[in-house]
């Protein structure tokens, strides 16, 4: 029979691993526990042992490929073994080098109960034991519940497991969203925009209340005249009585014999003004009584909380420095203007972003410390010789960062086309988690809505993120004269643990150079 | 669109106000969507008006009459007189109260109610023909549509529901006079439920079934007690027979049948054809989805070979803005399945992360005794690759069952041997329809045999049987011998 081997969950919070090296070829005979591959995760390089004696049937992942946990990476032919599904439990044991559990003596119920957790291996695939609330949470957080290891009784998947999978197990994705969130805080975040709107709404409401009480207090000159003695005709007094108005309070428009004299019109006007003021008062009070008008509460959970947690982790794990600069991009604007039409002829929309990604990648090659991550556990700085650039994207569901892989190996049009496709997928929520993972550096465009500079939060465990302001004409001093030039504000946040201020400034200078002279990119 | 007529717009158009449609409409209303619900007949659909509710009302009434007249063992001597017309009035009162409630709830949730028959004009609009001549019609444009048109009884050749002595289940539940003799065609759950009702009320019932057993969809050990009890009530079964026609006679009608397999029939019933005298014949051979009146082609919505609209786990059809829920969306045709689908469809439209990812759908047959099932049978569990552990507890060992005078049947649980996760349960016996709920919850929660067994159950109740069945599967039941 064929035994499939899935990439096991080799450690807490690891959702994928890179196949560093295959130690066997297809057709090779293997013995149980013989290492067949080296797999690198965020945490470490581990050897993956064969779970059985047999021969290698098929190798399903290339060296250098990032493989999500749970994907089948190799299959073995095993002779004479009864048909049985490989399971994650076995795979995990195999990976951790633990011996297979010994068969329990038959008929001993107590012993069976004790090893119940191991016996989940008997559970057929495709069925996940989890409460409906955990299933719903998994959908909310975009977690494939089938890929979550359960920590509950007999391996039941709990809400806690789902959260852990969303936060830890798919750290890159969560962090990705977080940096998107950060970008959106300043950038084209639709959520941010919504937030602003609801803020306005609340302010508007408060304003209305203030107005209403203003009317109540002083609106139509309804202060009481408060005299001791007022002259009026008997008919006027009757009107005052009917309207419930104190005559001494009605502003007098005339005098008779040196005493204030009140007309029927004045009484009616005063009565009406008072009624209006009362109504306004009541309204204002009523408005105050509705707490929803002044503040609204909504649950902090789901994607919003995932974003928040990842931002918090990034901000408090990596001491941020932010380096600000501005570059004159006259040539870039012209170049893009020319290329845009050519790209359109080929059906591709060319924005500035692919050019900037190219420039950033060129600079990253010169400053490997910016294209790195910090392996805190092993106290190693991991410098990456691949350049996967994330692009923060505002979506209705929150902020996401699709990643364009291997930017250094791709042409502008390919980058543009891949990026456009990924961004669209992120917006309509059809994007796969894997398409938001594996980034080495992130770019976020804050110019869409407004603002110049920002302090973007790093897409942890990356070590730097670049925020772009809007490209527009700004005053620039050239040869002692102020002239209007297209400029681009840049804000680079970096993890100060491994990126020094000088590194950040030098890296930014290189990016600037490429953006100022885009033809330099031709050399790349 | 008709010239001069103005289309109204709505976020969500729901077609059909049965348990799938009205639940979808109310949920969508709760989620602040603008909802329009179109119903051609009566709020509550088949379930409330002609199916679940009226049949259960009549079953209860028939049980009261039957039990009162058969309680000599308990020292009670009574000879109940049944006024069928009054019983039907009472049943109608129950139905009215419920359908009125559905209408009020819809209104309270801001649902626009329209009476009429909807038919798609294109992918984003329907025409609604109002009931009755000259009532006119209107066009409604929608962003999303939920089709919840339900199902209708299948007619068989030679038996038209328009003919007075031929009844579908709906007409059978509306009779104002008890037939003396009735032939029931079909021994599925509707046939068996109503046969039992009429037999208990005093009608002489003959059941004709094409297959070779009663309740053919259920395991034989579940169906057996039901058939046995039915026979005790005097119901006469003829299996392997199809009804071919009927004719009027001097004192009623005569229903003729034909053996499906001649030889077998010759042995069993003494002939390839047979005739049964009766006053009425009720045909209950199944139901088919109602899709023929919708002009689905205009919306581009496809149906499968059986006429059902296929949907995904979000209740979406092949057109992503059109949803289908309930009977029209496929088996099992159960009101509670339709309601859940309606709820999910509304939530999906509102952007909630809802999905139809339930592990098990319970089903109940309100026969005597009742049958209820949820999840996998032992055989199905094996087919899915589980090593099933099975536990049973007979009601005759239940103190509470004995005190009700009804101790036929058993509770059976099916679990995964290694992990103990519950996978399914089958119950035949008193209150099976109620008892199954605990096991449905257990399956959804991913509970193990141990979880249920270790939960204290009230004594003396029938529910203790659920606990004991789980203990039996674990090998330590107290009140029955362990397997």
């Amino acid at each position: 029979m064929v035994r499939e081997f899935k990439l096991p969950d080799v450690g807490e919070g690891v959702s994928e691993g890179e196949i560093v090296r295959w130690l066997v070829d297809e057709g090779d005979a293997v013995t149980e526990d013989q290492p067949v591959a080296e797999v690198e995760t965020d945490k470490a390089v581990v050897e993956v042992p064969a779970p059985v004696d047999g021969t290698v049937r098929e190798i399903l992942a290339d060296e250098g490929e990032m493989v999500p946990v749970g994907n089948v990476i190799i299959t073995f032919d095993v002779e004479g073994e009864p048909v049985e599904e490989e399971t994650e439990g076995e795979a995990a044991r195999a990976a951790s080098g633990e011996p297979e559990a010994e068969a329990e003596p038959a008929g001993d119920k107590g012993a069976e109960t004790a090893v119940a957790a191991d016996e989940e291996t008997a559970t057929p695939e495709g069925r996940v034991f989890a409460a409906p609330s955990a299933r719903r949470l998994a959908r909310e957080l975009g977690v494939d519940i089938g890929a979550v290891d359960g920590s509950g009784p007999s391996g039941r998947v709990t809400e806690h497991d789902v959260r852990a999978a969303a936060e830890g197990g798919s750290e890159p994705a969560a962090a990705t969203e977080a940096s998107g969130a950060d970008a959106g805080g300043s950038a084209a975040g639709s959520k941010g925009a919504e937030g602003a709107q609801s803020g306005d709404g609340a302010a508007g409401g408060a304003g209305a209340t203030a107005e209403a009480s203003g009317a109540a207090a002083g609106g139509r000159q309804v202060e009481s005249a408060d005299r001791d003695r007022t002259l009026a005709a008997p008919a006027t007094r009757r009107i005052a009585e009917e309207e419930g108005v104190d005559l001494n309070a009605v502003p007098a428009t005339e005098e008779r014999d040196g005493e204030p004299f009140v007309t029927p019109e004045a009484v009616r006007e005063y009565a009406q003004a008072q009624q209006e003021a009362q109504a306004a008062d009541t309204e204002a009070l009523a408005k105050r009584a509705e707490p929803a008008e002044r503040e609204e509460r909504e649950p902090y959970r789901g994607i919003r909380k995932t974003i928040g947690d990842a931002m918090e982790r990034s901000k408090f794990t990596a001491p941020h420095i932010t380096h600000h600069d501005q570059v004159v991009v006259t040539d870039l604007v012209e170049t893009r203007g020319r290329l845009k039409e050519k790209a359109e002829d080929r059906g591709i929309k060319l924005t500035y972003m692919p050019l900037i990604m190219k420039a950033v990648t060129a600079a990253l090659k010169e400053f490997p410390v910016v294209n790195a991550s910090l392996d805190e556990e092993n106290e190693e700085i991991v410098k990456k010789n691949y350049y996967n650039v994330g692009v923060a994207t505002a979506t209705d569901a929150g902020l996401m960062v699709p990643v364009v892989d291997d930017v250094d190996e791709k042409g502008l049009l390919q980058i543009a086309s891949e990026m456009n496709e990924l961004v669209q997928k992120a917006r309509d929520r059809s994007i796969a988690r894997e398409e938001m993972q594996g980034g080495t550096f992130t770019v976020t465009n804050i110019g869409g809505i407004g603002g110049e500079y920002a302090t973007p939060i790093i897409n942890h465990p990356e070590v730097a993120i670049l925020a772009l302001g809007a490209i527009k004409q700004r005053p620039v001093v050239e040869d002692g004269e102020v002239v209007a030039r297209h400029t681009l504000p840049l804000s680079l946040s970096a993890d100060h643990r491994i990126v020094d201020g000088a590194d950040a400034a030098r890296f930014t200078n290189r990016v600037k150079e490429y953006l100022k002279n885009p033809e330099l990119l031709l050399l790349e | 669109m008709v010239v001069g007529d103005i289309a109204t717009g709505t976020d969500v158009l729901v077609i059909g106000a049965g348990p799938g449609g009205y639940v979808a409409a109310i949920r969508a209303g709760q989620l602040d969507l603008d909802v329009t619900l179109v119903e051609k007949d009566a709020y509550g659909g088949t379930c409330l008006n002609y199916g679940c509710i009226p049949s259960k009302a009549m079953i209860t009434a028939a049980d009261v009459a039957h039990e009162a007249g058969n309680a000599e063992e308990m020292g009670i001597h009574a000879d109940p007189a049944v006024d069928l017309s009054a019983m039907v009035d009472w049943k109608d009162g129950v139905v009215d109260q419920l359908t009125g409630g559905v209408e009020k709830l819809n209104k309270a949730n801001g649902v626009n109610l329209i009476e009429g028959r909807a038919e798609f004009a294109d992918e984003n609009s329907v025409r609604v023909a109002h009931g009755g001549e000259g009532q006119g019609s209107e066009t409604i444009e929608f962003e999303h549509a939920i089709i919840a048109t339900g199902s209708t009884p299948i007619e068989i050749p030679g038996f038209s529901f328009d003919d007075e002595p031929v009844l579908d289940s709906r007409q059978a539940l509306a009779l104002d006079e008890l037939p003396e003799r009735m032939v029931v065609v079909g021994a599925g759950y509707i046939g068996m439920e109503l046969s039992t009702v009429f037999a208990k009320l005093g009608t002489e019932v003959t059941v004709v079934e094409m297959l070779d057993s009663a309740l053919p969809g259920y395991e034989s050990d579940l169906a057996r007690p039901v058939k046995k009890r039915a026979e005790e009530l005097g119901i006469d079964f003829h299996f392997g027979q199809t009804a071919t026609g009927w004719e009027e006679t001097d004192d009623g009608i005569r229903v003729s049948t034909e053996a499906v397999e001649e030889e077998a029939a010759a042995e069993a019933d003494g002939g390839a054809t047979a005739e049964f005298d009766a006053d009425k014949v009720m045909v209950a051979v199944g139901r088919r989805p109602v899709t023929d009146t919708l002009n689905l082609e205009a919306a581009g919505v496809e149906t499968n070979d059986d006429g059902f609209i296929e949907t995904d786990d979000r209740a979406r059809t092949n057109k992503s803005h059109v949803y289908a829920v309930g009977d029209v969306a496929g088996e099992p045709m159960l009101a509670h399945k339709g309601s859940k689908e309606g709820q999910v469809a509304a939530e999906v439209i509102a952007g909630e992360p809802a999905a139809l990812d339930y592990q098990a759908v319970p089903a109940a047959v309100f026969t005597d005794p009742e049958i209820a099932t949820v999840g996998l049978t032992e055989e199905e569990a094996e087919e899915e690759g589980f090593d099933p552990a099975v536990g049973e507890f007979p009601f005759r060992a239940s103190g509470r069952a004995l005190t009700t005078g009804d101790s036929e049947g058993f509770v059976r649980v099916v679990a995964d041997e290694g992990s103990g996760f519950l996978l399914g349960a089958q119950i035949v016996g008193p209150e099976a329809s109620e008892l199954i709920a605990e096991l449905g919850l257990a399956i959804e929660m991913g509970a193990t045999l141990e979880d249920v067994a270790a939960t204290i159950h009230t004594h003396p109740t029938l529910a203790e049987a659920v606990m004991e069945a789980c203990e039996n599967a674990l090998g330590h039941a107290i009140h029955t011998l362990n397997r």
Side-chain angles (χ1 to χ4, degrees):
Chain A
M1 63 143 314
V2 180
R3 172 75 78 98
E4 292 184 336
F5 186 86
K6 294 174 184 170
L7 181 64
D9 181 358
V10 288
E12 189 186 328
V14 173
S15 64
E16 60 182 359
E18 182 190 342
I19 308 294
V20 179
R21 198 154 64 99
W22 281 110
L23 305 173
V24 290
D25 280 326
E26 289 175 2
D28 283 1
V30 292
T31 54
E32 190 177 339
D33 289 337
Q34 176 190 335
V36 295
E38 282 178 8
V39 176
E40 180 176 359
T41 68
D42 298 0
K43 311 276 178 188
V45 176
V46 292
E47 282 188 345
V48 175
V52 286
D53 294 334
T55 50
V56 177
R57 183 188 174 91
E58 200 178 355
I59 287 174
L60 297 161
D62 295 331
E63 288 183 358
E65 190 177 331
M66 297 298 287
V67 183
V69 164
N71 273 28
V72 177
I73 55 173
I74 184 169
T75 58
F76 301 96
D77 280 320
V78 187
E79 273 181 32
E81 196 186 48
V83 177
E84 170 186 337
E85 290 286 336
E86 167 67 88
T87 70
E88 281 164 31
E90 282 171 0
R93 266 204 308 280
S96 58
E98 273 177 38
E100 296 264 334
E102 293 292 324
E104 294 299 325
D108 185 342
K109 289 279 174 186
E112 278 176 23
T113 310
V115 297
D118 276 350
E119 294 198 22
E120 77 191 86
T121 51
T123 303
E125 294 207 28
R127 196 175 177 99
V128 179
F129 291 95
S133 52
R135 291 173 185 280
R136 184 181 172 96
L137 182 70
R139 291 196 299 272
E140 262 173 23
L141 299 179
V143 170
D144 172 11
I145 198 161
V148 177
D149 281 340
S151 68
S154 299
R156 181 165 53 199
V157 177
T158 65
E159 284 190 35
H160 176 81
D161 297 332
V162 173
R163 279 187 204 286
E167 289 167 17
S170 44
E171 206 162 275
T176 291
E177 285 166 7
S179 86
D182 125 64
S186 38
S190 63
K191 284 276 176 191
E194 272 170 35
Q197 271 168 14
S198 68
D200 286 345
T209 310
E211 264 173 46
S213 36
R220 289 188 44 182
Q221 295 178 345
V222 290
E223 301 96 336
S224 161
D226 203 22
R227 295 176 299 267
D228 291 337
R229 182 178 155 81
T230 303
L231 298 180
T236 309
R237 289 183 187 281
R238 197 173 61 243
I239 292 167
E241 209 169 296
E242 280 167 9
E243 298 282 349
V245 167
D246 175 5
L247 215 55
N248 288 326
V250 178
T253 46
E254 295 172 33
E255 277 193 8
R256 297 272 168 95
D257 305 328
E259 296 276 355
F261 180 83
V262 174
T263 60
E265 291 73 39
V267 171
R268 288 205 183 90
E269 200 174 311
Y270 178 78
Q272 194 184 343
Q274 255 196 342
Q275 278 166 10
E276 281 172 14
Q278 263 174 8
D281 244 352
T282 313
E283 198 183 332
L285 278 172
K287 284 198 172 167
R288 271 191 219 114
E290 287 171 23
E293 287 290 321
R294 288 172 71 85
E295 58 179 43
E296 283 179 35
R297 282 178 174 260
E298 56 184 58
Y300 175 52
R301 64 181 180 216
I303 289 177
R304 180 49 50 197
K305 183 162 190 310
T306 308
I307 290 170
D309 289 347
M311 284 179 62
E312 185 182 276
R313 187 166 57 242
S314 176
K315 193 77 185 175
F316 290 115
T317 306
H320 284 52
I321 40 164
T322 307
H323 177 85
H324 300 287
D325 208 335
Q326 179 170 296
V327 54
V328 175
V329 289
T330 314
D331 287 354
L332 184 75
V333 171
E334 280 174 16
T335 306
R336 183 251 177 179
R338 282 198 308 273
L339 295 179
K340 192 179 143 195
E341 286 173 18
K342 301 277 178 206
E344 260 166 26
D345 291 344
R346 300 195 200 175
I348 295 171
K349 186 183 159 205
L350 181 68
T351 59
Y352 287 105
M353 189 57 93
L355 288 149
I356 291 163
M357 287 161 79
K358 259 313 208 196
V360 163
T361 304
L364 285 173
K365 282 189 166 177
E366 290 173 50
F367 297 91
V369 74
V370 186
N371 194 49
S373 63
L374 185 58
D375 179 350
E376 285 149 41
E377 201 170 286
N378 294 309
E379 303 192 333
E380 286 171 343
I381 296 169
V382 185
K383 292 180 180 169
K384 293 155 189 171
N385 296 323
Y386 54 95
Y387 303 89
N388 298 346
V389 179
V391 180
T393 305
T395 75
D396 290 344
L399 286 123
M400 304 196 177
V401 184
V403 175
V404 179
D405 289 343
D406 304 318
V407 171
D408 57 322
E409 293 170 10
K410 291 172 184 167
L412 270 184
L413 289 184
Q414 194 183 351
I415 296 171
S417 139
E418 278 184 28
M419 184 194 77
N420 293 346
E421 191 187 334
L422 286 167
V423 164
Q424 190 49 46
K425 279 161 93 175
R427 293 210 169 112
D428 61 26
R429 296 189 73 176
S430 65
I431 193 161
R433 190 160 279 276
E434 300 82 59
E435 291 172 318
M436 300 191 291
Q437 291 174 341
T440 59
F441 184 88
T442 300
V443 181
T444 171
N445 180 12
I446 65 164
I449 285 188
E452 302 267 305
Y453 297 100
T455 309
I457 294 182
I458 298 162
N459 188 358
H460 186 71
E462 293 168 20
V463 295
I465 179 169
L466 180 67
L468 311 168
I471 292 180
K472 63 178 184 190
Q473 289 202 332
R474 293 182 179 83
V476 171
V477 178
E478 277 180 8
D479 302 329
E481 284 192 24
V482 177
V483 289
R485 290 283 180 267
H486 277 105
T487 59
L488 167 64
L490 300 172
S491 305
L492 179 86
S493 283
D495 184 341
H496 211 342
R497 291 177 300 178
I498 59 171
V499 181
D500 292 335
D503 294 331
R506 288 193 193 104
F507 170 77
T508 309
N509 287 344
R510 284 304 286 153
V511 173
K512 279 174 64 180
E513 210 174 322
Y514 283 115
L515 295 177
K516 204 166 184 174
N517 309 298
E519 74 272 11
L520 286 179
L521 291 173
L522 294 172
L523 298 174
E524 289 304 314
Chain B
M1 198 194 312
V2 176
V3 177
D5 115 336
I6 299 163
T8 44
T10 189
D11 292 343
V12 185
L13 174 81
V14 184
I15 307 172
Y22 84 71
V23 168
I26 290 175
R27 187 74 188 111
Q30 286 171 349
L31 293 166
D32 288 334
L33 293 165
D34 177 72
V35 196
T36 302
L37 175 60
V38 183
E39 170 56 51
K40 71 175 170 54
D41 179 17
Y43 297 115
T46 297
C47 170
L48 263 64
N49 294 282
Y50 319 115
C52 322
I53 296 301
S55 64
K56 275 51 173 185
M58 294 296 277
I59 286 168
T60 303
D63 280 348
V64 171
H66 179 74
E67 283 168 22
N70 290 274
E72 286 83 5
E73 198 181 84
M74 295 179 185
I76 299 165
H77 301 274
D79 186 12
V82 172
D83 175 349
L84 187 68
S85 166
M87 194 183 277
V88 168
D89 284 349
W90 167 75
K91 178 249 332 180
D92 288 345
V94 172
V95 169
D96 286 349
Q97 191 177 340
L98 287 168
T99 53
V102 166
E103 191 175 350
K104 272 191 211 126
L105 284 170
N106 273 291
K107 285 180 178 162
N109 282 287
V111 176
N112 309 309
L113 297 173
I114 295 182
E115 286 177 28
R117 184 191 292 271
E119 139 177 354
F120 287 98
D122 56 45
E123 288 196 3
N124 283 94
S125 65
V126 291
R127 285 216 47 88
V128 177
H130 297 300
E133 283 288 308
Q135 293 292 306
S137 63
E138 65 182 298
T139 295
I140 302 171
E141 287 176 354
F142 57 82
E143 292 279 317
H144 305 274
I146 300 176
I147 302 169
T149 42
S151 62
T152 191
I154 294 174
E155 268 188 354
I156 53 174
F159 296 84
S160 164
F161 294 133
D162 291 336
D163 292 335
E164 194 258 326
V166 180
L167 309 171
D168 60 13
S169 56
R170 166 181 174 173
Q171 292 160 333
L173 289 163
L175 290 172
D176 47 16
E177 207 177 310
L178 263 186
E180 275 181 38
R181 300 158 303 169
M182 183 189 253
V183 169
V184 174
V185 181
Y189 82 93
I190 296 175
M192 289 301 292
E193 285 179 0
L194 294 188
S195 298
T196 310
V197 166
F198 283 99
K200 284 183 176 174
L201 294 175
T203 298
E204 208 176 282
V205 180
T206 303
V207 175
V208 177
E209 164 63 44
M210 194 173 79
L211 299 175
D212 59 2
S213 64
L215 296 168
Y218 290 86
E219 289 172 289
S220 59
D221 57 350
L222 297 173
R224 201 177 303 119
V226 176
K227 178 170 172 258
K228 188 177 145 215
R229 184 74 58 90
E231 282 170 339
E232 283 167 14
L233 288 167
I235 297 175
D236 186 17
F237 286 96
H238 297 271
F239 295 108
Q241 301 273 320
T242 52
T244 50
W246 63 279
E247 57 180 9
E248 281 189 40
T249 60
D250 292 344
D251 64 339
I253 60 169
R254 183 168 297 145
V255 178
S256 46
T257 69
E258 206 168 81
V260 179
E261 291 174 46
E262 278 186 29
E263 282 177 33
E267 278 175 33
D269 282 317
T273 59
E275 290 181 335
F276 303 98
D277 287 329
D279 302 304
K280 301 279 183 193
V281 53
M282 185 185 87
V283 178
V285 294
R287 299 179 67 83
R288 62 173 177 82
V290 178
T291 48
D292 45 354
T293 59
L294 281 166
N295 191 23
L296 285 176
E297 301 76 28
V301 173
E302 292 162 7
T303 55
N304 66 17
D305 293 345
D306 298 324
F308 291 110
I309 300 173
E310 283 184 356
T311 53
D312 65 8
D313 69 343
R314 304 286 202 273
R316 285 179 299 219
T317 66
N318 60 307
K319 290 283 164 189
S320 62
H321 69 299
V322 181
Y323 297 67
V325 304
D327 289 358
V328 83
E331 300 277 7
M333 294 201 214
L334 294 168
H336 45 272
K337 184 213 73 162
S339 293
K340 195 53 80 184
E341 288 172 345
Q343 214 168 326
V344 166
E347 289 177 4
V348 169
I349 290 169
E352 302 259 317
L356 298 166
D357 68 350
Y358 35 71
Q359 304 303 295
V361 183
V365 186
F366 294 82
T367 42
D368 183 4
E370 293 180 351
I371 294 177
T373 61
V374 65
L376 307 179
T377 62
E378 182 176 1
E379 197 183 326
E380 288 165 343
E382 268 167 14
E383 278 166 16
E384 281 204 16
F386 290 98
D387 177 14
V390 177
E392 276 189 11
F393 188 79
F395 281 113
R396 65 174 181 278
S398 154
R400 181 60 183 132
L402 292 170
T403 64
T404 64
D406 186 1
S407 57
E408 187 77 47
F410 57 89
V411 174
R412 178 163 62 218
V413 294
V414 178
D416 176 36
E417 172 75 45
S419 61
F421 285 127
L422 277 157
L423 301 171
Q426 299 85 41
I427 305 178
V428 55
E431 305 295 347
S433 58
E434 300 287 341
L435 294 173
I436 203 71
E438 176 182 5
L439 288 156
L441 177 68
I443 293 169
E444 290 295 342
M445 293 299 291
T448 62
L449 287 168
E450 174 124 21
D451 292 331
V452 178
T455 302
I456 297 182
H457 287 62
T458 320
H459 178 75
T461 58
L462 297 169
E464 286 175 295
V466 170
M467 173 182 73
E468 293 261 8
C470 291
E471 284 177 336
N472 180 244
L474 289 166
H476 54 65
I478 302 295
H479 298 97
T480 188
L481 291 175
N482 290 298
R483 301 171 170 243

